[in-house]
Amino acid sequence: RKFSPSFLSAERREKERKRETQSRVSIDTMHGRKRESTASRLERRAKSLPKVKLLQKLHKEIVHLQNADDNEKGKDGGGGDDDDKSGEEDATMKNTTIPAEFTDSKEEEATTTANNMNAGVKSPYEKYRLASPITFERLETEKDRRKYPMNEDGYFDLVAKNDVPSLDKLIRDLSPEPFKRLIPTSNLPGEALFESPLVSFAYERGWRDNFKRSGFPGVEVEKENAMEALGEDAVGDVIIDCSCGSGLFTREFARSGKYDGIVALDFSESMIKEAMERAQKDTSVPADKIAFVRADVGRLPFANDSIGGVSASAAIHCWPDVQSACAEIFRVLKPGRIFTGTTFATPNVPFLDDDQNRLLSTLSRDLSASRPGTNGLRFWNSADLRDQLQSIGFSDVTILREKDYLFWKARKP
């Protein structure tokens, strides 16, 4: 009598009712498993099995379950012999696509990469020979590439990260987003100058035209000189437009159609963005021929002996460490390939010979570098530049001078 519902309180009756309902659901579920659908069995099995190692086994079981259901439904119409079942199973396996939730993401990435290779499609990492700026090893695996992905702006940021705290970095991090671009990431005057968005904006809006006063022959002639210097060996290969600035020569190289790809490389984020914007607006420039890379010329993110040629137009006077930069270019160039470029020359005094002019330019450069507020740019005389290139290992060094304009060409043996 004490377990009779009439002797129980309303609260206890409610608890008993819920317990009885749960027991009934459990019993129904246990007895109903034989009748559960194929989809439910697939889902239950997928959750219990490892996704990679037992993938094929699970796939076979899926097909087997599907065939079993079909046979149950068709018992009234007669079955078939074992050979027919086996043939049907094989055919079903060939035509069945494994659902995405049963596949492993790494396997899917590897399959996609393999399919691209079979189709002759190269990823940007492979096409442009991109490597880690720390180890200089090629970024071949998906794990490596996740460390250096193409950012949301559409370029690769391959500058070696420096997490050492500094006042400049703190100010930059705390500044509102619109003002961050106005604060340079480098404290070296030559680099910091070209990090300014104002310089990036002005570069092809009058700044570059002023180079003609120093003897620069103009973009068209400079482009022809550079491509002639790079030679036939570079045709069909990947070249670097080092310190590309606003992409003036990057677009010219791409438009020529001679090269498999051009790496537009610069340390300045604002210059990279300016170069990208101009390339996108110019419909004559093939977009699939250019990779935009932010990198330090003193630590180039490419493997040894991997690049078909390097051009540095109006660039090396801005580099903070020319010897390290030229050594890096020597490292990444393929043997027999060319490093060419242009820069500003130190003024020549007419009544002095070459040695005296060299001494004067060296003295003038050292004195100007010691003055506060100097811009950190270094101009060159022919003898110093030749010695610099030869000391690194370049051969067949050719240097031409026109007023205060220097053009050079050097080969890696």
Side-chain angles (χ1 to χ4, degrees), residues 7-208:
F7 289 91
L8 298 176
S9 65
E11 182 179 355
R12 292 185 62 186
R13 285 200 303 270
E14 181 67 20
K15 288 183 179 179
E16 289 291 337
R17 187 184 65 77
K18 288 183 178 179
R19 189 180 299 114
E20 184 180 354
T21 302
Q22 290 174 355
S23 299
R24 189 181 302 115
V25 170
S26 300
I27 293 170
D28 290 345
T29 302
M30 181 177 65
H31 289 291
R33 275 185 182 172
K34 292 182 180 179
R35 297 188 300 273
E36 68 178 337
S37 66
T38 302
S40 300
R41 281 180 292 197
L42 260 73
E43 183 177 0
R44 181 164 49 80
R45 291 293 293 157
K47 290 179 180 178
S48 64
L49 293 173
K51 289 186 178 180
V52 179
K53 293 183 179 180
L54 298 179
L55 182 61
Q56 293 298 328
K57 181 178 178 181
L58 175 60
H59 189 218
K60 290 180 180 178
E61 291 186 12
I62 291 170
V63 175
H64 178 72
L65 289 171
Q66 289 174 337
N67 289 337
D69 284 349
D70 292 341
N71 290 337
E72 269 186 43
K73 293 176 182 177
K75 273 183 179 179
D76 294 339
D81 58 19
D82 292 340
D83 292 339
D84 292 339
K85 289 181 182 178
S86 176
E88 290 175 4
E89 183 174 335
D90 291 341
T92 308
M93 287 184 67
K94 288 179 182 179
N95 298 325
T96 302
T97 302
I98 301 175
E101 59 268 25
F102 299 154
T103 62
D104 187 82
S105 58
K106 292 182 180 178
E107 182 173 333
E108 185 179 353
E109 289 171 356
T111 303
T112 303
T113 303
N115 291 339
N116 287 341
M117 289 177 65
N118 292 335
V121 178
K122 293 182 179 179
S123 72
Y125 295 92
E126 184 181 3
K127 178 177 179 178
Y128 297 102
R129 297 85 189 267
L130 301 181
S132 164
I134 306 298
T135 64
F136 305 128
E137 296 291 332
R138 295 278 287 269
L139 300 175
E140 295 179 340
T141 66
E142 289 301 323
K143 181 179 179 181
D144 293 335
R145 293 173 182 179
R146 288 191 200 105
K147 295 179 182 177
Y148 302 100
M150 179 185 288
N151 63 23
E152 58 185 10
D153 291 317
Y155 66 88
F156 296 94
D157 192 340
L158 297 179
V159 174
K161 298 297 183 286
N162 179 11
D163 295 326
V164 178
S166 66
L167 180 60
D168 291 342
K169 187 181 295 185
L170 179 63
I171 294 174
R172 185 181 175 90
D173 292 341
L174 295 177
S175 298
E177 195 62 36
F179 296 102
K180 283 185 178 181
R181 292 182 63 190
L182 301 176
I183 304 172
T185 60
S186 174
N187 56 4
L188 300 170
E191 288 183 341
L193 173 66
F194 289 94
E195 284 193 84
S196 168
L198 300 177
V199 175
S200 304
F201 177 82
Y203 193 77
E204 289 191 44
R205 295 177 174 90
W207 182 299
R208 189 56 166 77

